[in-house]
Amino acid sequence: MARTELKTKTLLVEFDSAASLTKAAEKLRDTGFKKFDCYSPFPIHGLNDAMGVKRSYLGFIVGAAAAIGLGGAFLMIYWMQVIDYPIVVSGKPYNSYQAYTPVIFAITVLLSAIATVVGMLALSGLPKFNHPLFDSKEFQRFSDDGFFVSIEIDDPQYDTQKTPGMLTSLGGKKLEVIEG
């Protein structure tokens, strides 16, 4: 059986503090890196801006699904009550919207919830069942006390000689090349 070759995938660099992690993220963003991510044990105010992360489109997706649910539910109930099978109940007009409200609300919320889950998965590129970072012993500390930056080797700005030196000059320690 032939042995498969391992390809270098990710450079993992540890930093001492949240400030040095944020500084490294800003430098990577300013240098033009696109395929990098930062990991810390707690949320860091301003890290998304330092990384150049843009605002999510998820709100627009959920809003569109809610509008479709609202309009579709109203049209469905209107069609059934007024056109398809009109019945006068207690002398009320055919298109008495007050009776539609619970169904319209339920369908709007249902479609919004489905769009939220599907949109979140699609926008974040999930499901990812495995990443080479999970094989690193150092990376297992990221949720306890570690501040890490990972850079994908196939990023167009990545240079085998310059990138590790730049990160070391910013305070990076324990550089690890993770193969997967």
Side-chain angles (χ1 to χ4, degrees), residues 102-160:
V103 174
I104 291 172
F105 176 76
I107 291 176
T108 301
V109 169
L110 176 67
L111 285 182
S112 298
I114 291 170
T116 300
V117 171
V118 171
M120 183 268 310
L121 290 173
L123 291 174
S124 63
L126 292 175
K128 291 180 184 173
F129 297 112
N130 192 21
H131 192 277
L133 284 177
F134 300 144
D135 297 332
S136 170
K137 296 287 186 199
E138 292 295 322
F139 187 69
Q140 292 176 2
R141 296 184 17 250
F142 91 90
S143 62
D144 292 330
D145 62 353
F147 299 94
F148 293 96
V149 170
S150 68
I151 303 173
E152 301 294 324
I153 301 290
D154 60 352
D155 190 301
Q157 295 296 328
Y158 186 83
D159 184 354
T160 310

Side-chain angles (χ1 to χ4, degrees), residues 29 33-34 36 46-60 123-124:
R29 178 202 64 205
F33 283 90
K34 299 290 184 206
F36 74 96
L47 186 59
N48 284 342
D49 294 333
M51 292 174 62
V53 175
K54 296 178 183 170
R55 190 176 170 123
S56 175
Y57 295 109
L58 188 59
F60 297 113
L123 291 174
S124 63

Side-chain angles (χ1 to χ4, degrees), residues 41-120:
F42 52 84
I44 300 172
H45 181 71
L47 186 59
N48 284 342
D49 294 333
M51 292 174 62
V53 175
K54 296 178 183 170
R55 190 176 170 123
S56 175
Y57 295 109
L58 188 59
F60 297 113
I61 293 170
V62 174
I68 290 169
L70 185 102
F74 182 82
L75 290 174
M76 175 187 72
I77 294 171
Y78 183 84
W79 171 267
M80 289 188 284
Q81 294 282 44
V82 177
I83 298 169
D84 190 33
Y85 197 67
I87 295 177
V88 175
V89 178
S90 300
K92 295 179 188 165
Y94 293 133
N95 59 350
S96 180
Y97 70 90
Q98 293 87 353
Y100 304 175
T101 304
V103 174
I104 291 172
F105 176 76
I107 291 176
T108 301
V109 169
L110 176 67
L111 285 182
S112 298
I114 291 170
T116 300
V117 171
V118 171
M120 183 268 310

